[in-house]
Amino acid sequence: MNNPFSPKLKTLPKMTSGRIALWQAMTVLGYKKQYHEITVKELCKTAYIARSTFYLTYKNIDELLMDMEDYYLRQLIPIYDVYVKTNYLNRQDHFCSDTIRYIQENRKVFYLFLVQQPNMRFIQKWKILIKYCLWENLKKDDTSGALAPQEELPFEMISGEIVTAHGILLKYTQEETVEDLKKVLNEGLCFFGKMYTLINTGQNAQ
């Protein structure tokens, strides 16, 4: 059956020096002011590029933000793919550790979108990507009907927990905190699997 959760992340064209400079400038300015307060003029000044270069790539700043969101979330897909192709109960640590490593490598962007200036569109896209991954793992051999309302609850709970946990990890980088939150995420994933199985078993028994 079709996966009811569609990430809808745009595939970006080849990265250019201009695009990279604009993204870096957006990250810098995003730490100083609200997204809607950033102008194309100051963005280009910070990026050391001409305004004409900006408009060759983007129509407006929001389109630039959407590109950034999709790009950084797309990089999570290979990590999640490994999780999808194996028994998730045996791959929880991989799911958590590799995701944490990737986010730390791109800390400035994720901190901006999750902590400094929470980007709800980015957060929602990430939650959908997590749901998509979990569905692929749990439902890949299932030929039953579409997602029932009661089935959606565990997906919503665990996706929200995962995104929130990573936001906390970005604020508190002590090794003890990281390990404690990894344990919470591992337990959450285990609980999700049990909860989903229980709901699905009860539904099929009706």
Side-chain angles (χ1 to χ4, degrees):
M1 63 181 297
N2 293 330
N3 192 317
F5 305 111
S6 177
K8 295 181 180 178
L9 301 175
K10 184 171 65 175
T11 301
L12 299 179
K14 184 178 179 180
M15 295 296 289
T16 63
S17 57
R19 190 186 298 271
I20 293 171
L22 285 168
W23 288 10
Q24 291 174 339
M26 173 57 73
T27 304
V28 169
L29 292 172
Y31 277 81
K32 298 177 180 179
K33 54 175 62 180
Q34 296 294 308
Y35 299 125
H36 69 271
E37 296 175 338
I38 299 171
T39 66
V40 172
K41 180 179 179 180
E42 65 182 329
L43 184 67
C44 292
K45 181 179 179 181
T46 304
Y48 297 101
I49 65 172
R51 292 179 67 178
S52 58
T53 302
F54 174 90
Y55 286 112
L56 282 173
T57 310
Y58 299 112
K59 295 178 182 177
N60 50 51
I61 287 177
D62 191 56
E63 190 174 62
L64 180 153
L65 278 170
M66 290 179 67
D67 260 11
M68 290 180 66
E69 295 160 11
D70 290 355
Y71 174 83
Y72 285 101
L73 289 177
R74 267 196 169 277
Q75 308 315 304
L76 285 168
I77 292 177
I79 296 173
Y80 291 175
D81 276 348
V82 175
Y83 178 82
V84 166
K85 294 172 183 176
T86 57
N87 185 324
Y88 84 98
L89 288 174
N90 297 326
R91 299 299 297 178
Q92 296 161 337
D93 190 62
H94 164 90
F95 186 86
C96 298
S97 298
D98 286 11
T99 303
I100 290 170
R101 188 179 303 112
Y102 167 71
I103 291 172
Q104 290 300 330
E105 290 170 355
N106 298 279
R107 178 180 176 80
K108 288 184 179 179
V109 173
F110 277 87
Y111 191 93
L112 173 63
F113 285 164
L114 292 181
V115 181
Q116 180 71 24
Q117 195 174 162
N119 180 330
M120 298 311 298
R121 183 173 59 199
F122 175 81
I123 291 170
Q124 186 61 23
K125 287 179 183 178
W126 192 359
K127 287 174 63 178
I128 292 173
L129 179 60
I130 293 167
K131 293 176 186 179
Y132 178 88
C133 164
L134 294 172
W135 176 275
E136 287 296 302
N137 185 282
L138 291 173
K139 301 287 287 188
K140 55 189 174 186
D141 297 321
D142 192 342
T143 57
S144 60
L147 183 71
Q150 63 268 31
E151 286 184 288
E152 190 168 355
L153 177 61
F155 285 96
E156 184 64 29
M157 289 173 63
I158 191 61
S159 63
E161 178 185 344
I162 289 171
V163 173
T164 300
H166 286 299
I168 294 172
L169 284 172
L170 287 166
K171 290 192 287 185
Y172 307 102
T173 57
Q174 296 91 338
E175 187 173 340
E176 297 82 2
T177 304
V178 172
E179 290 304 313
D180 286 344
L181 280 171
K182 279 173 62 177
K183 291 178 183 177
V184 171
L185 284 174
N186 287 339
E187 291 171 2
L189 285 166
C190 185
F191 176 74
F192 162 79
K194 293 177 180 177
M195 183 178 181
Y196 176 82
T197 300
L198 180 63
I199 291 173
N200 203 42
T201 301
Q203 181 183 340
N204 291 336
Q206 293 178 358

